[in-house]
Amino acid sequence: MTSSNEYGPNSWELLVTVDHQYEGEQKEYMLRVSGDLHVGGVMLRLVEQIKISQDWSDYALWWEQRQCWLLKTHWTLDKYGVQADARLLFTLQHKMLRIRLPSMRTVRLSVSFSAVVFKVVVNICKNLGIRRAEELSLLRRSEDTKKKKKKDKNKEPVIEDVLNLPHSPGSLGLPASPGLYSKTMSPIYSPTSGTPDSSTLAWFGDSPLAKQNWNNLASNHPVCTPETLAEMYQPRTLVDKAKLSAGWLDSSRSLMEQGIQEEAQLLLRFKYYTFFDLNAKYDAIRINQLYEQARWAILLEEIDCTEEETFIFAALQYHIGKLSLSGSQDFTTEAEIDEVEAALLNLEVTLEGGKTENILEDITDIPRLADNLKLFRSKKLTLKAFKEYWFVFKDTSVSYFKNKQAEHGEPIEKLNLRGCEIVPDVSVSGKKYGIKLLIPVADGMNEVHLRCDNESQYARWMAACTLASKGKTMADSSYCLEVHNILSFLKMKSRAAAPQAVSDPESTDMKPECFVSPRYTKKYKSKQLTARILEAHQNISHLSLMETKLRFIQAWQSLPEFGLTYYIVRFKGSKKDDLLGISYNRLIRIDTATGDPITTWRFSNMKQWNVNWEIRQVAIEFDQNVSIAFTCLSTDCKVVHEYIGGYIFLSTRAKDQNETLDEDLFHKLTGGWE
């Protein structure tokens, strides 16, 4: 041990534990240091005292009491506040982590435990070939959601399917390839093998997965058994759904700072429901993982859908499984398909949408819709009585009159749809084609119901309403595509015209219980489920593998609850708990007991938001002197703060921008100050 005389009277002893990579045990070392010694000097003296010749470049000091890394090696111990009572750990920054993908497959790979989670996710996605990493994050599953039955408390009942990627250069501090955010640098998949084309393989050259079969993560694995599905956690209420989203990690802090240990398992999930620049030509893995996340959300009833929609989703799953087992690959080039299908395969699921590339397609004379529709205004304790009026849709507003002859006079009412909620209310089998408009007002929401006569009329009006809610008119180039997508979805919902053409359920090798939630296996017999799935399958049996996945994602997006993440909060001045729903463009206050929306606030009307870290309260100011404040009960307020900032950050993306990700802006909008 070095004497105190060598370092002066102000020196003191510092205990450092060394976590040896190969010896499998920790050893303690006592160093004599002074407060003006920089962290790099401490590490140098420690290595000299260890006297083991090895590569120490990935090692760093971790301060256990403060739960923080000492990564600024030029800082002195005094500047960090390290004193004699500090316990430091000299350990590797990169360690093995188990990542559960949306497909329920586990990937075991080396990640940085000292970098912020945002960088970790970027590197994980780089190694897995997933573009647009800013849309994903890591989720720690809540203990409440791990098991619903006492006999299997210890682990989630999913068969482990582990893909080991022990050496991940992307996680070793190397810069991410610019191709991660560049369409031109992304892989083009081979139509025969499903792997990246040789001309673009260099994009993955530093990734361990490139040496294995890239198709592994882009293809579908056999579905789980009905027994396994029945054992998995299913939320029954909106409060249960709030538990699912409580465990998002803080993107501005490291894994170690959040208590994540080596070999821990985390869920990699699409956190933000704004899927930008989704392209079948470049995103086979991304689309497959997105499909899998949507599939499990349907099966476990994390999102509500009608019985009719359930069997459409089941038929799509069955078709995808059938094509996957037959070895079908579908990486259709855009030159081989017509204009409408090209638009579908390049599905822009930006929701708000970036700037369109084809400005000249927009016409200067804004079109209008005029038709007889039925209207009903929702009021408590009244029967649902629809009355027919003459409706005119122009710009982003809809006006209605007593009849067509009264059109040139004053309307009975003019509804501005910009910023309102549009909810489909459709039953194809019951020939009901309804549109529910939730129009925000000062004291809550006005609910207006429109009823159309047929599919064609519904598609035109629904598309117009949807665009108007985003501030777009029917002159926008996406209007025709929106109408086409709605009609395609309605066609999937329609019952087959020739039931006799459906295959005999008994002769079909299908386990229908694998394609629907356990609730339906209790309601129907296996033969009945098979018949319903095969009937729905007739309408989509012609689709290719990739197109079917995109149709599944599109149908998922059309559900009223799509994109809503729930948290239990207590609003300032309220005596009871409420639910806060966070979407890509709005916040919704929801009644916990009934599930009804109370008030909606749009991000576009937000002036500022901040967090009082002392009382853990989020405060938001909107236009027209509207302000709200709430405390979070089901999670830390930082999670909600990051969600709001994250959606605002993602709304700044546009195709005409340089596609390099602005990480500094992300942290400014989501980081906060504690």
Side-chain angles (χ1 to χ4, degrees), residues 5 28 45 54 84 147 155 160 182 227 250 257 262 268 305 310 370-371 384 393 406 423 434 450 455 493 522 539 549:
N5 295 330
E28 293 182 349
R45 290 183 187 177
Q54 70 173 66
K147 200 64 229 84
K155 67 175 183 178
E160 282 271 289
S182 171
E227 294 75 22
D250 186 339
E257 287 171 331
E262 185 175 7
L268 180 69
C305 60
T310 294
D371 231 331
K384 218 175 206 183
F393 200 114
V423 182
L450 304 181
E455 292 184 5
K493 283 188 171 185
K522 297 174 184 175
N539 293 322
K549 290 180 183 179

Side-chain angles (χ1 to χ4, degrees), residues 175-209:
S177 163
L180 187 58
Y181 303 104
S182 171
K183 194 172 182 178
T184 57
M185 292 290 289
S186 300
I188 297 176
Y189 289 86
S190 163
T192 53
S193 64
T195 58
D197 194 68
S198 59
S199 62
T200 59
L201 193 60
W203 189 88
F204 297 105
D206 61 351
S207 172
L209 198 59

Side-chain angles (χ1 to χ4, degrees), residues 107-357:
V107 176
R108 183 174 174 271
L109 75 171
S110 173
V111 303
S112 173
F113 275 66
S114 61
V116 295
V117 165
F118 185 86
K119 285 184 179 292
V120 172
V121 173
V122 167
N123 282 321
I124 289 172
C125 290
K126 163 67 177 155
N127 286 317
L128 300 181
I130 300 174
R131 293 196 312 146
R132 302 292 174 189
E134 66 271 19
E135 296 169 358
L136 297 93
S137 192
L138 294 173
L139 178 68
R140 176 167 36 193
R141 182 53 61 89
S142 166
E143 290 296 323
D144 292 336
T145 66
K146 285 185 178 177
K147 200 64 229 84
K148 69 174 184 178
K149 292 187 178 180
K150 293 181 180 179
K151 62 180 180 181
D152 289 321
K153 271 187 180 178
N154 295 329
K155 67 175 183 178
E156 184 77 9
V158 179
I159 299 172
E160 282 271 289
D161 182 12
V162 181
L163 176 64
N164 279 291
L165 304 177
H167 305 294
S168 305
S171 67
L172 296 176
L174 300 179
S177 163
L180 187 58
Y181 303 104
S182 171
K183 194 172 182 178
T184 57
M185 292 290 289
S186 300
I188 297 176
Y189 289 86
S190 163
T192 53
S193 64
T195 58
D197 194 68
S198 59
S199 62
T200 59
L201 193 60
W203 189 88
F204 297 105
D206 61 351
S207 172
L209 198 59
K211 300 171 186 176
Q212 303 182 33
N213 187 0
W214 275 90
N215 193 36
N216 217 348
L217 298 179
S219 60
N220 302 91
H221 300 281
V223 293
C224 70
T225 63
E227 294 75 22
T228 301
L229 184 61
E231 290 298 318
M232 296 177 71
Y233 178 82
Q234 290 178 255
R236 300 300 182 191
T237 64
L238 290 178
V239 172
D240 289 341
K241 291 178 182 180
K243 296 175 184 177
L244 297 174
S245 52
W248 288 110
L249 296 189
D250 186 339
S251 296
S252 303
R253 298 167 63 207
S254 70
L255 292 171
M256 284 273 278
E257 287 171 331
Q258 299 180 71
I260 306 300
Q261 300 299 320
E262 185 175 7
E263 295 287 358
Q265 185 176 86
L266 296 173
L267 311 181
L268 180 69
R269 294 290 183 269
F270 290 88
K271 177 179 181 180
Y272 300 103
Y273 295 88
T274 51
F275 315 127
F276 190 68
D277 190 26
L278 200 62
N279 190 311
K281 193 174 181 182
Y282 306 99
D283 289 323
I285 294 174
R286 182 181 172 208
I287 288 171
N288 186 61
Q289 295 302 323
L290 191 54
Y291 156 72
E292 289 285 357
Q293 183 162 327
R295 182 172 78 91
W296 284 105
I298 299 294
L299 288 176
L300 298 178
E301 297 190 81
E302 293 173 7
I303 183 170
D304 291 339
C305 60
T306 65
E307 184 171 307
E308 187 176 52
E309 291 162 342
T310 294
F311 286 106
I312 292 171
F313 285 119
L316 289 167
Q317 290 178 70
Y318 170 64
H319 189 58
I320 289 169
K322 196 174 178 182
L323 292 177
S324 298
L325 287 174
S326 67
S328 170
Q329 296 292 338
D330 183 72
F331 300 95
T332 314
T333 60
E334 289 153 301
E336 297 171 337
I337 49 181
D338 62 36
E339 188 177 346
V340 173
E341 292 304 308
L344 177 65
L345 287 181
N346 288 288
L347 188 60
E348 280 301 330
V349 202
T350 57
L351 303 179
E352 286 288 6
K355 294 181 181 179
T356 177
E357 295 177 329

Side-chain angles (χ1 to χ4, degrees), residues 354-383:
K355 294 181 181 179
T356 177
E357 295 177 329
N358 300 309
I359 303 297
L360 295 179
E361 291 181 9
D362 293 346
I363 56 179
T364 55
D365 183 23
I366 297 175
R368 65 197 284 272
L369 282 177
D371 231 331
N372 282 310
L373 301 178
K374 296 182 179 67
L375 176 138
F376 163 73
R377 278 191 166 279
S378 182
K379 296 178 182 177
K380 291 183 179 179
L381 304 176
T382 60
L383 295 174

Side-chain angles (χ1 to χ4, degrees), residues 453-651:
D453 293 329
N454 51 58
E455 292 184 5
S456 177
Q457 187 185 58
Y458 168 80
R460 294 196 308 273
W461 282 84
M462 184 66 182
C465 291
T466 302
L467 290 179
S469 71
K470 301 172 185 176
K472 299 179 181 181
T473 70
M474 287 184 290
D476 192 88
S477 57
S478 62
Y479 174 70
C480 290
L481 177 61
E482 189 75 27
V483 173
H484 171 77
N485 288 341
I486 292 170
L487 287 171
S488 298
F489 188 47
L490 292 176
K491 185 180 178 183
M492 286 196 298
K493 283 188 171 185
S494 63
R495 290 287 184 98
Q500 66 272 15
V502 179
S503 304
D504 181 7
E506 293 185 355
S507 65
T508 304
D509 185 19
M510 180 201 296
K511 292 182 178 178
E513 296 84 2
C514 298
F515 303 118
V516 296
S517 67
R519 177 158 58 98
Y520 289 99
T521 62
K522 297 174 184 175
K523 184 176 180 181
Y524 295 106
K525 295 179 180 178
S526 182
K527 189 187 296 186
Q528 293 173 307
L529 291 173
T530 301
R532 290 285 298 273
I533 293 172
L534 288 175
E535 185 179 12
H537 180 253
Q538 283 189 298
N539 293 322
I540 51 97
S541 59
H542 63 285
L543 297 177
S544 62
L545 180 59
M546 182 60 71
E547 194 176 2
T548 310
K549 290 180 183 179
L550 289 172
R551 287 287 177 92
F552 193 100
I553 294 168
Q554 183 189 26
W556 176 46
Q557 289 176 301
S558 73
L559 298 176
E561 270 192 30
F562 169 77
L564 278 175
T565 306
Y566 300 100
Y567 292 101
I568 303 171
V569 300
R570 174 74 62 87
F571 279 89
K572 187 176 181 180
S574 175
K575 294 183 179 180
K576 67 184 185 72
D577 300 343
D578 284 311
L579 281 166
L580 181 72
I582 304 177
S583 184
Y584 69 96
N585 63 349
R586 67 199 187 279
L587 300 174
I588 307 174
R589 183 176 182 176
I590 301 169
D591 187 283
T592 307
T594 64
D596 294 333
I598 301 171
T599 314
T600 294
W601 303 279
R602 312 288 295 190
F603 289 156
S604 58
N605 297 329
M606 186 186 297
K607 293 169 67 176
Q608 67 172 9
W609 83 98
N610 57 71
V611 179
N612 184 329
W613 297 108
E614 291 184 5
I615 60 175
R616 318 301 286 182
Q617 184 182 77
V618 181
I620 308 174
E621 290 183 24
F622 297 92
D623 292 339
Q624 300 178 340
N625 297 320
V626 175
S627 61
I628 61 172
F630 56 84
T631 53
C632 303
L633 304 180
S634 60
T635 189
D636 191 271
C637 62
K638 175 62 170 67
V639 176
V640 174
H641 168 67
E642 184 174 312
Y643 242 121
I644 296 171
Y647 270 127
I648 292 173
F649 168 75
L650 294 182
S651 70

